[in-house]
Amino acid sequence: MPTLETAPGITVHYTVDDFTDPWVPGPTVLFLHGLAESGEAFRPFVPPLARRARVVRLDLRGYGRSPALPADHPWRFDSLVGDVAALIRHLGVERVHLVGGKIGGTIALAVAARHPELVDRLAVLGGPASLTNMAGRTPAWRAQIASEGVRPWVRGSNAGRMGTRMVPAQLQWWEDLMSRTAASTLEGFLQMVPTVDVTAEVDRIRAPALIVTTTGSGLGSVDEVRAWQERIPGSRLVVLQNDSYHVAASDPDETALLVRDFLFG
């Protein structure tokens, strides 16, 4: 798996899946995952997209195969945005299609607003513009992780995250994936989460944008999502009937096809 040093002492890993014709130049699609995940979160998106584009799945700093970070790591949202911009430049392309889920979608919004020259099209899957409403949840999450470990926290919080439609085997796969995250990474990251708010920046996005949410998202009502989505010129909002807020996980096939059709028509 290729790696990139994005800052002193910070190395990120990423996966590349490319089944395009070598003689036909194709676009690059970069995926950004959410809390306690890795690029594996977008596994179902590879088959529909990798024949049309080079698919790159980043493991954010501290997550997946990127080295875990200590609990006192100085997490800054701006640094996560900088990691993504550095990777796009490292990939040797002028622009990418950027796709993010949950806080990965929030990061994608910020990258598109701050670095419009790097983003061709933007898809946000269940990602809020603001995470300040998480301030009431994260202290209890941190306490549970510190006392019981990561897996009990994942198991206890996945009901709201994944909704009620997942079959047990599906829920178990996500529990196993998320439980691989180091407790030290989550301790610092969860302190940062409630400070994240890019609402004031979305007006600066110029890339065509697809925003996907659900009718029962715990990260914001449809009206709350529409309020900032409509400020992105030419953007489109799709609302799926579900009670999850991790729409890329709960509705992977439908969201993958939505992304494919949005990117390639």
Side-chain angles (χ1 to χ4, degrees), residues 151-244:
R151 186 175 293 273
W153 163 72
V154 172
R155 187 179 300 126
S157 60
N158 259 354
R161 186 179 292 114
M162 302 302 185
T164 56
R165 296 185 187 175
M166 281 193 178
V167 300
Q170 191 179 9
L171 276 171
Q172 187 63 54
W173 187 88
W174 279 98
E175 179 183 314
D176 292 343
L177 173 69
M178 297 175 71
S179 297
R180 297 185 194 120
T181 308
S184 59
T185 290
L186 289 171
E187 168 60 17
F189 194 87
L190 286 170
Q191 293 182 60
M192 177 203 69
V193 165
T195 71
V196 175
D197 188 347
V198 300
T199 308
E201 301 184 55
V202 299
D203 308 77
R204 293 156 48 190
I205 296 173
R206 293 296 174 262
L210 170 69
I211 313 299
V212 183
T213 190
T214 61
T215 49
S217 173
L219 292 182
S221 69
V222 173
D223 287 342
E224 288 172 328
V225 174
R226 185 179 288 113
W228 58 261
Q229 169 265 321
E230 289 182 340
R231 291 166 47 199
I232 303 175
S235 63
R236 175 191 174 202
L237 176 64
V238 175
V239 181
L240 301 184
Q241 294 287 330
N242 209 329
D243 57 355
S244 72

Side-chain angles (χ1 to χ4, degrees), residues 43-75:
R43 182 184 184 93
F45 288 68
V46 174
L49 298 180
R51 186 74 179 97
R52 302 284 298 273
R54 176 172 60 159
V55 175
V56 180
R57 292 176 287 154
L58 172 64
D59 288 352
L60 297 174
R61 63 167 67 186
Y63 290 100
R65 296 188 184 182
S66 299
L69 293 171
D72 62 354
H73 175 72
W75 285 95

Side-chain angles (χ1 to χ4, degrees), residues 4-145:
L4 173 67
E5 185 176 4
T6 59
I10 299 296
T11 299
V12 296
H13 287 242
Y14 59 97
T15 302
V16 179
D17 296 286
D18 185 354
F19 297 95
T20 62
D21 293 326
W23 57 90
V24 179
T28 296
V29 182
L30 175 58
F31 284 90
L32 309 178
H33 64 81
L35 172 68
E37 296 176 3
S38 70
E40 273 295 284
F42 289 104
R43 182 184 184 93
F45 288 68
V46 174
L49 298 180
R51 186 74 179 97
R52 302 284 298 273
R54 176 172 60 159
V55 175
V56 180
R57 292 176 287 154
L58 172 64
D59 288 352
L60 297 174
R61 63 167 67 186
Y63 290 100
R65 296 188 184 182
S66 299
L69 293 171
D72 62 354
H73 175 72
W75 285 95
R76 299 288 183 273
F77 183 73
D78 291 353
S79 299
L80 295 171
V81 174
D83 288 347
V84 175
L87 176 59
I88 295 172
R89 296 185 178 104
H90 172 75
L91 292 172
V93 295
E94 289 187 6
R95 294 181 168 212
V96 299
H97 298 317
L98 195 56
V99 183
K102 298 192 302 175
I103 196 172
T106 316
I107 297 169
L109 286 168
V111 173
R114 300 176 191 182
H115 303 280
E117 74 283 359
L118 298 180
V119 180
D120 193 353
R121 285 178 170 257
L122 169 69
V124 177
L125 311 178
S130 173
L131 284 158
T132 55
N133 65 356
M134 295 292 288
R137 305 184 206 180
T138 53
W141 284 2
R142 290 170 53 212
Q144 183 179 16
I145 292 167

